[in-house]
Amino acid sequence: MAPHVLLYSRTTAYRHESIPDGIKAFTELGEQHGFTVEATELPAAFEGQELDRYSAVVFLSTSGDVLTDEGRANLASYHRNGGGFMGVHAAACTEYDWPYYGTLLGARFARHPPLQPGTLVVEDTGHPATGHLPRRWDLIDEWYDFRTNPRSGVRVLATVDEHSYEGGGMPDDHPVVWCHAHGGGPVFYTALGHTGDAFRDPLFRSHLWGGLESVME
């Protein structure tokens, strides 16, 4: 039986126009790599059913409060029991009032400068999300700043070179892709993915697949 991935993209704050492109990208990755994607924006997906049937849960540019109390409890239980979690882009702008989510993800969004080109610097090539990338990768994104630097609690896979764009707020060390083991389950987060074009880029799709693969049971 093919693995199932729950892809969640509910927003109660800013909504990214790239969400449909992201859903399409993950669906096509599933067809390519042999897993089934269940895309939803319904909080009920986390209520009254066993999340254990999913090999991973992905938050795709979610924003604001997107879960009920029951959903939060079920997601925490799923993850503590070994379930994998992946966050993409605005997943860091989600559930600000739920402390567990902040530690799960590793850092929370603070701000970003205008959309512009910048240079991603791959720091760790030993992960499937970054091993295939050029060591310096020029691309267009929003280059999120975070409220705290996650480095002390995660494995940083890539940073952004703040000399390559204007308006960065983490000049000494600016992680944008990382992974860690939180509680009982694996976590992967990438701050990339603002534009629809990103999800049509084969290199970025491989980045997504590497991240997802690393958290799937």
Side-chain angles (χ1 to χ4, degrees):
M1 184 175 179
H4 282 62
V5 171
L6 180 60
L7 182 64
Y8 194 51
S9 56
R10 186 184 184 209
T11 59
T12 61
Y14 183 82
R15 184 169 183 84
H16 280 76
E17 294 180 359
S18 61
I19 287 174
D21 301 289
I23 294 172
K24 181 178 180 182
F26 275 99
T27 300
E28 292 178 352
L29 284 171
E31 294 168 354
Q32 180 181 353
H33 295 284
F35 63 90
T36 299
V37 172
E38 296 183 21
T40 184
E41 299 202 353
L42 298 176
F46 294 84
E47 301 168 359
Q49 63 173 299
E50 293 296 329
L51 289 176
D52 290 346
R53 68 191 186 91
Y54 296 109
S55 297
V57 171
V58 180
F59 275 28
L60 171 65
S61 282
T62 50
S63 68
D65 293 332
V66 297
L67 297 172
T68 63
D69 288 343
E70 180 182 351
R72 293 183 188 106
N74 287 343
L75 177 58
S77 177
Y78 165 80
H79 189 67
R80 289 184 181 119
N81 289 324
F85 181 86
M86 176 175 176
V88 178
H89 198 52
C93 309
T94 301
E95 293 289 339
Y96 281 105
D97 295 328
W98 183 26
Y100 180 86
Y101 184 82
T103 56
L104 168 70
L105 198 65
R108 294 185 184 277
F109 168 81
R111 58 174 292 278
H112 66 76
L115 183 72
Q116 61 188 296
T119 301
L120 185 83
V121 180
V122 174
E123 183 172 310
D124 187 335
T125 60
H127 191 280
T130 50
H132 68 290
L133 297 178
R135 295 302 295 267
R136 294 181 66 87
W137 183 22
D138 296 329
L139 67 163
I140 296 173
D141 218 296
E142 286 183 321
W143 307 117
Y144 279 7
D145 289 340
F146 299 95
R147 292 183 176 182
T148 57
N149 189 317
R151 183 177 292 276
S152 63
V154 304
R155 173 184 170 189
V156 174
L157 304 177
T159 60
V160 60
D161 180 356
E162 290 206 354
H163 297 291
S164 67
Y165 71 102
E166 296 182 355
M170 301 173 67
D172 297 325
D173 182 27
H174 193 154
V176 289
V177 182
W178 60 79
C179 63
H180 69 136
H182 174 263
V187 177
F188 172 84
Y189 173 73
T190 178
L192 307 177
H194 175 75
T195 70
D197 286 341
F199 290 99
R200 291 184 283 274
D201 181 344
L203 201 59
F204 183 61
R205 285 195 176 197
S206 295
H207 173 65
L208 294 175
W209 164 236
L212 180 58
E213 182 185 25
S214 74
V215 302
M216 288 178 69
E217 297 178 335

